[in-house]
């Protein structure tokens, strides 16, 4: 099937319209007309080749909501017309222990990412949600709870699951003390989800600017990370800190804020870290951990959780043609708090 998307042709060129063939429908495939696509900072990192593994042309986008337009002969879960979603993965081996336990993100053969990954059969590079269509195998297609406003659902597929997963892994619930470093797309979802789980939530931001927004999201406290007095007063407070900062930075100042046995879960920065001082780690048996997205089972659980509590991101709707301007604003942390591309309102 021929489709059109927006692609970056190189690290320093703007995204432009680009036509290509989606793979032909296999028996277990679902063809989706994309209605909405969220704009994740990972899309920007990939378009600019910040991580060094981008294959051009690249069509980013891994927060996808759409409508089923065709299904393969073996598809049983979805039918034409259903509203569905696709996140950061579109395939995995389906046979290793991690795929069996529903954590395909740790597939021993490596998950196939929604964009910039070789297809497991054809080796063609996958193309993501900044497009009119995508073809995905049934197991990686998610159900959208009918109660949710479809235009706002897309960011749950990456920002939502990437923060839901560590909150669940580290057993956040009523009484937990959670800190969120960086209030952007991921950060503001971490706040909403942790609040819904009953935690006491503190936003750690670089400046005053987002204090009111944090309070509007029902965060309990707001801390400016450069305010050393306020940071000292917050010592030994948190069970879990989720760090969403997208660039290389020193995590040392956050360790004294953890309780004994507390954990910093890094989800933001990808790549070599800044040097860190082990002293506050040793002194509190504190841990530094990483986390990446979540499995399909957990992603569906997150969508259902959001459906039950009506949790949705704060979004700014844009057209596909505005993506380059949106990337510039994303780079400056000037988004409230996730861009969503409305494909039907776009002209390309
Ligand atoms: P985002 O919307 O740009 O938010 C990042 C936030 O971090 C900003 O709003 C800002 O918050 C803070 N920040 C930005 N630049 C900073 C700097 N130079 N120093 C300190 N803080 C800074 O990005 P996002 O979409 O949430 O993504 C965040 C990171 O997570 C990206 O690197 C992305 O690639 C990664 N990611 C990882 C996974 C995973 O599975 N692990 C999944 C998705 C995304 P304040 O203004 O409040 O300080
Ligand atoms: Zn993402």
């Amino acid at each position: 099937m021929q489709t059109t998307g927006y692609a970056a042709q190189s690290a320093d060129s703007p995204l432009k319209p680009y036509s290509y063939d989606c793979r032909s429908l296999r028996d277990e495939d679902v063809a989706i007309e994309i209605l909405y696509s969220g704009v994740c900072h990972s899309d920007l990192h990939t378009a600019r080749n910040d991580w060094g593994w981008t294959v051009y042309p690249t069509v980013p986008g891994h927060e996808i909501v759409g409508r089923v337009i065709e299904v393969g002969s073996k598809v049983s879960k979805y039918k034409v017309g259903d509203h569905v979603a696709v996140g950061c993965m579109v395939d995995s081996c389906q046979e290793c222990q991690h795929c069996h336990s529903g954590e395909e993100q740790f597939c021993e053969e490596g998950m196939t990412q929604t964009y910039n990954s070789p297809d497991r059969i054809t080796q063609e590079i996958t193309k993501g949600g900044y497009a009119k269509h995508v073809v995905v195998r049934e197991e990686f297609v998610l159900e959208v709870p009918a109660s949710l406003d479809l235009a706002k659902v897309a960011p749950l597929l990456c920002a939502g699951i990437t923060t839901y997963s560590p909150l669940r892994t580290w057993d956040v619930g009523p009484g937990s003390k959670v800190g969120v470093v960086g209030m952007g797309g991921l950060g503001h979802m971490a706040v909403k989800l942790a609040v819904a789980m009953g935690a006491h939530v503190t936003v750690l931001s670089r400046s005053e600017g987002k204090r009111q927004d944090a309070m509007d999201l029902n965060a309990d406290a707001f801390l400016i990370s450069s305010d050393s007095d306020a940071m000292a007063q917050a010592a030994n407070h948190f069970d879990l800190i989720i760090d969403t900062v997208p660039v290389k930075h020193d995590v040392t100042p956050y360790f004294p804020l953890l309780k004994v046995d507390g954990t910093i879960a890094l989800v933001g920065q990808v790549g070599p870290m800044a040097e860190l001082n082990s002293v506050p780690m040793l002194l509190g048996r504190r841990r530094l951990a990483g986390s990446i997205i979540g499995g399909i089972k957990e992603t569906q659980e997150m969508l259902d959780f959001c459906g039950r509590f009506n949790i949705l991101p704060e979004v700014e709707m844009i057209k596909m043609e505005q993506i380059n301007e949106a990337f510039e604003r994303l780079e400056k942390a000037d988004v409230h708090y996730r861009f969503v591309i409305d494909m039907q309102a776009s002209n390309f």
Side-chain angles (χ1 to χ4, degrees):
M1 188 203 332
Q2 187 76 14
T3 194
T4 311
Y6 255 59
Q9 298 285 347
S10 71
D12 52 11
S13 61
L15 271 65
K16 285 192 188 137
Y18 170 67
S19 290
Y20 56 97
D21 261 329
C22 288
R23 71 167 186 240
S24 23
L25 215 64
R26 299 174 193 148
D27 291 345
E28 52 287 312
D29 276 349
V30 177
I32 299 166
E33 178 193 10
I34 300 176
L35 300 174
Y36 301 103
S37 194
V39 178
C40 178
H41 208 117
S42 301
D43 302 345
L44 174 60
H45 285 308
T46 302
R48 305 256 167 98
N49 199 22
D50 289 344
W51 298 327
W53 57 64
T54 304
V55 182
Y56 293 99
T58 186
V59 178
H62 57 202
E63 297 182 336
I64 300 172
V65 167
R67 186 156 41 90
V68 176
I69 52 169
E70 200 181 343
V71 294
S73 61
K74 291 193 183 145
V75 171
S76 57
K77 214 171 147 193
Y78 300 104
K79 58 179 191 321
V80 171
D82 287 349
H83 285 140
V84 292
V86 177
C88 304
M89 294 181 284
V90 288
D91 208 353
S92 70
C93 82
Q94 300 283 292
E95 278 168 11
C96 72
Q97 53 170 329
H98 302 299
C99 287
H100 277 307
S101 67
E103 293 196 307
E104 302 89 345
Q105 73 273 35
F106 307 130
C107 173
E108 286 174 3
E109 292 187 8
M111 62 170 150
T112 305
Q113 299 193 46
T114 305
Y115 59 83
N116 202 46
S117 271
D119 180 278
R120 290 180 62 82
I121 295 168
T122 65
Q123 304 302 312
E124 278 173 274
I125 299 299
T126 53
K127 301 201 166 43
Y130 293 8
K132 292 182 176 164
H133 303 95
V134 68
V135 173
V136 179
R137 67 183 283 182
E138 180 180 28
E139 291 88 341
F140 289 80
V141 177
L142 295 134
E143 290 172 53
V144 180
S147 60
L148 291 176
D149 176 355
L150 208 60
K152 296 185 177 178
V153 168
L156 299 179
L157 278 301
C158 175
I161 184 59
T162 301
T163 50
Y164 182 90
S165 186
L167 290 169
R168 283 288 186 237
T169 300
W170 280 279
D171 286 328
V172 166
S176 305
K177 301 276 199 313
V178 175
V180 177
V181 182
M183 199 168 99
L186 266 56
H188 95 292
M189 281 314 307
V191 173
K192 289 192 179 216
L193 291 164
V195 166
M197 291 173 190
H200 181 281
V201 182
T202 302
V203 171
L204 294 101
S205 188
R206 288 167 297 171
S207 62
E208 255 324 299
K210 296 177 181 172
R211 183 186 292 270
Q212 188 54 49
D213 287 356
M215 295 301 125
D216 292 346
L217 299 183
N218 294 321
D220 299 281
F222 188 86
L223 197 52
I224 296 170
S225 43
S226 57
D227 180 343
S228 44
D229 290 344
M231 291 286 275
Q233 274 171 26
N236 305 308
H237 177 77
F238 295 106
D239 299 291
L240 175 69
I241 293 176
I242 299 185
D243 180 342
T244 76
V245 174
V247 294
K248 192 172 187 175
H249 63 290
D250 184 10
V251 295
T252 308
Y254 301 113
F255 274 106
L257 275 53
L258 293 171
K259 290 178 186 164
V260 169
D261 284 329
T263 300
I264 294 177
L266 276 183
V267 294
Q269 196 221 319
V270 175
M273 294 181 61
E275 193 171 321
L276 73 107
N277 186 331
S278 68
V279 173
M281 293 177 78
L282 273 52
L283 284 176
R285 200 165 50 203
R286 298 170 174 121
R287 304 181 181 95
L288 181 62
S291 188
I292 187 157
I293 52 171
I296 293 299
K297 193 165 138 228
E298 196 173 46
T299 305
Q300 190 64 60
E301 178 190 305
M302 176 276 308
L303 284 169
D304 296 342
F305 179 85
C306 291
R308 208 165 337 120
F309 295 99
N310 197 30
I311 299 171
L312 286 166
E314 301 301 306
V315 302
E316 289 192 54
M317 303 303 294
I318 59 165
K319 297 177 184 176
M320 192 71 258
E321 310 86 274
Q322 296 171 295
I323 188 64
N324 294 302
E325 193 190 314
F327 270 3
E328 277 171 35
R329 285 187 50 204
L330 186 57
E331 197 157 37
K332 289 187 270 181
D334 171 30
V335 191
H336 307 279
Y337 275 85
R338 197 61 141 186
F339 288 120
V340 172
I341 305 160
D342 181 340
M343 289 301 163
Q344 289 179 317
S346 304
N347 290 305
F348 67 108

